[in-house]
Amino acid sequence: MEERGQSNHLFVEGVPVRYAQNGQVNPEWLSACEEERNLTSNLMEQIADPLNLGKAYKQVKSNGGSAGVDGMKVEAMQGWLGENLNNLTKQLLAGSYEPQAVRGVEIPKAGQPGKFRKLGIPTVLDRLVQQAIHQVLSVRYEKIFSENSYGFRPNRSAHQALKQAAKYVEQGKIEVIDLDLEKFFDEVNHHRLMWLLSTRIGDRRVLQLIHRFLKAGILQGGLMEQRIKGSPQGSPLSPLLSNIVLDELDKELEQRGHSYVRYADDVKIFVGSKRRAAAVKSSITKYIKDKLKLKVNESKSRTCMGYELNFLGHSILTKGAIGLSKQSEQRLKEKIREITKRNRGISLEEMLQELRTKLQGWLNYFRYAKMTSRLTNLDGWIRRRLKCFRLKQCKRVIGIVRWLRKLGVEEKLAWRTALSGKSWWRLSNSPALHLGMNKIWFAQQGYYSLSANYLSLHRKSL
């Protein structure tokens, strides 16, 4: 039997839950839905309000992005609205607005060679309308969303999700159910999503418009693909719809009394023992398949210890410290290998600037991870790659000697190094290079040291 909260738990954090423990529909939930539908019977008037559309325009312009199937660029939207805003408003209020197809594109999945993520790029105008819908609906849905949901929500971040996960491990809940929802955005059931929306939205014009957006075809490679399920990533409305779908899972987990964290479709449940973890995984997987009509990737879903996780690029270490996952370190090294290729036709100065941009952004995101020794090792590895690059630029033996002499290396040692016949990688670790291209020299050239800046960030936070 599935675990639920106590039989009198008809509310979760003040929000009525759908089912009581006996499986009957909670009358308080039905009453709350009816009240919400009455309050939202004229929601389209709020969406089509010129002030709301103006705010949506600013957001879409700020987001930028490429054109959709009609070829209209973001820069052309202001002129189009100047001539057509009244007509757009009339179409929305009349319920006659028709979305266009989305342009399908595929981008490589990080750390998964040969695999791609499908994105759908709506037209600029459709992005504007979706953003206008998002702004109005999110205000209402934010009131009922779970405290343990962090993705695609205002004033919430990945770092907050990580800190909450760390608290659970610190409390002794060291076993983690790591759930992988297979191709979540591609598998969202339209009928179930529309039913969910209809429980809280009373304006049929809004429901019909969202349904049209869901059914809009995908144009890719000159072929049109009609959709019967899924909500393509890349549209302003998709993140909110995903949270609405998965809020059902949040409420179920809360009613059962589980400690969990969800960031978009990344769900982690924390328990105290392996036996408990196995039971919870089985039970929740069944609920997701049978009730939510979503697929769980059995090969990727697992139970594990916190330090084995790759949650938002991090692991959760013993006693609740946040660590850096092995996958994140590997992805960084892959990017650094691309930047520091020896055959690139750029100067060392340009390479250092490119590295700085990448490393600064990376460290800003991972700054809460406990990783002092790993960053020290990474710095050493990066400097060796830079030495290889600069040595290869010398081309000939005499070039290497002149370069080493310029760095202050004694002439005899410079010649011995240049004539050694060693590979670039072995040369980068030679005494001459340790003397000439040391940490001080790299700092003077503008090298962004991960370990030094990491320690600086932590000193400032003390």
Side-chain angles (χ1 to χ4, degrees), residues 5 27 36 45 59 79 87 141 276 284 329 356 412 425 427 450:
E36 188 67 14
E45 275 68 21
Q59 186 60 53
N87 187 44
Y141 277 96
R276 172 87 168 140
I284 291 298
E329 183 176 355
R356 170 178 285 272
K412 188 175 180 180
W425 184 250
L427 274 181
L450 285 170

Side-chain angles (χ1 to χ4, degrees), residues 202-218:
D203 194 326
R204 291 188 60 81
R205 296 168 298 177
V206 176
L207 293 172
Q208 289 168 353
L209 180 54
I210 293 175
H211 196 212
R212 289 185 198 125
F213 276 122
L214 289 172
K215 293 196 303 179
I218 297 180

